[in-house]
Amino acid sequence: MLQNAEQKKCDKCFAYKPPRTHHCRVCRRCILKMDHHCLWINNCVGYWNYKAFFVFVFYATTASIYSTIIFMSCVFQKDWDPIKGSSLKIFYVLYGTMVVGLTITLLTLFGWHVYLILHNMTTIEYYEGNRAKWLAMRSGQSYRHPFNIGAYKNITLVLGPNMLKWLCPTAVSHLKDGVSFPTLRDNS
Ligand SMILES: [Zn+2]
Ligand SMILES: [Zn+2]
């Protein structure tokens, strides 16, 4: 069994460390299915709050795209010639730079997490997987992320089985214990 094989002890907590769990140095504790420690929310993103984090990134991205569209349409509709003062122009340039920069950043973050969800990976597992792939390649083997059980199933494990509740951050009744996860071997 893969999950038994991966059972470890945390060196710092001196406690059982379930699969996909990592010790966060900032939070000083083990985090189930740890994704990353987020400086913006001053907390870890892991098993229990990953859906809320993802939905938050989705709404923030949508809002900033909406804001960019409103801004662009405002810029193109405005009759710029009669405006003599440059302060308004500076405001537009500053705001445009900020909103476009924010939109690109959030879109990248959102796209990255869509990729991770589709492959049932955490940010940490992505980098660990790269190393495992490289090591497997050197020994002439192939490596496949064990928790990737198909795109749709991967989505339902994070966002829930009911599609109507996918964008509701508090609909997390599908979360179980964060200790055991279905793997490819369970399905085959
Ligand atoms: Zn620990
Ligand atoms: Zn943390």
Side-chain angles (χ1 to χ4, degrees):
M1 271 283 286
L2 175 111
Q3 294 192 354
N4 284 339
E6 281 192 358
Q7 280 182 10
K8 288 179 250 166
K9 261 194 159 188
C10 175
D11 303 336
K12 283 131 195 157
C13 304
F14 303 108
Y16 163 58
K17 193 172 168 186
R20 311 187 86 180
T21 296
H22 289 273
H23 186 90
C24 175
R25 267 177 271 174
V26 186
C27 299
R28 292 182 183 172
R29 63 188 178 97
C30 276
I31 308 292
L32 295 172
K33 200 188 168 212
M34 180 176 168
D35 190 89
H36 66 284
H37 184 89
C38 179
L39 290 173
W40 303 96
I41 60 171
N42 192 29
N43 200 1
C44 254
V45 175
Y47 186 71
W48 298 107
N49 61 357
Y50 186 71
K51 183 183 174 177
F53 168 79
F54 177 75
V55 172
F56 165 68
V57 172
F58 170 76
Y59 285 124
T61 309
T62 313
S64 89
I65 291 172
Y66 178 69
S67 190
T68 306
I69 294 169
I70 300 264
F71 171 75
M72 290 295 184
S73 59
C74 195
V75 168
F76 290 119
Q77 278 171 15
K78 205 162 190 68
D79 184 11
W80 289 100
D81 289 340
I83 300 169
K84 283 169 191 151
S86 63
S87 60
L88 193 66
K89 279 183 184 171
I90 290 169
F91 171 78
Y92 269 85
V93 171
L94 280 177
Y95 182 76
T97 314
M98 266 167 58
V99 82
V100 171
L102 189 68
T103 305
I104 292 168
T105 310
L106 284 170
L107 259 177
T108 312
L109 186 67
F110 177 68
W112 168 240
H113 281 281
V114 167
Y115 171 83
L116 290 178
I117 288 181
L118 288 175
H119 293 83
N120 199 349
M121 264 185 219
T122 63
T123 305
I124 295 172
E125 283 167 355
Y126 173 80
Y127 292 107
E128 280 179 352
N130 276 351
R131 190 179 144 74
K133 262 184 209 161
W134 181 73
L135 287 171
M137 214 173 70
R138 276 185 56 175
S139 55
Q141 291 171 316
S142 65
Y143 171 81
R144 199 173 172 216
H145 182 57
F147 303 104
N148 184 355
I149 53 167
Y152 185 75
K153 275 189 183 170
N154 292 341
I155 297 171
T156 59
L157 285 175
V158 173
L159 302 180
N162 187 349
M163 210 182 262
L164 297 171
K165 292 181 181 173
W166 277 7
L167 294 180
C168 175
T170 51
V172 287
S173 56
H174 60 285
L175 296 179
K176 288 176 185 123
D177 51 11
V179 172
S180 59
F181 299 90
T183 61
L184 265 176
R185 292 184 192 187
D186 303 334
N187 283 13
S188 58

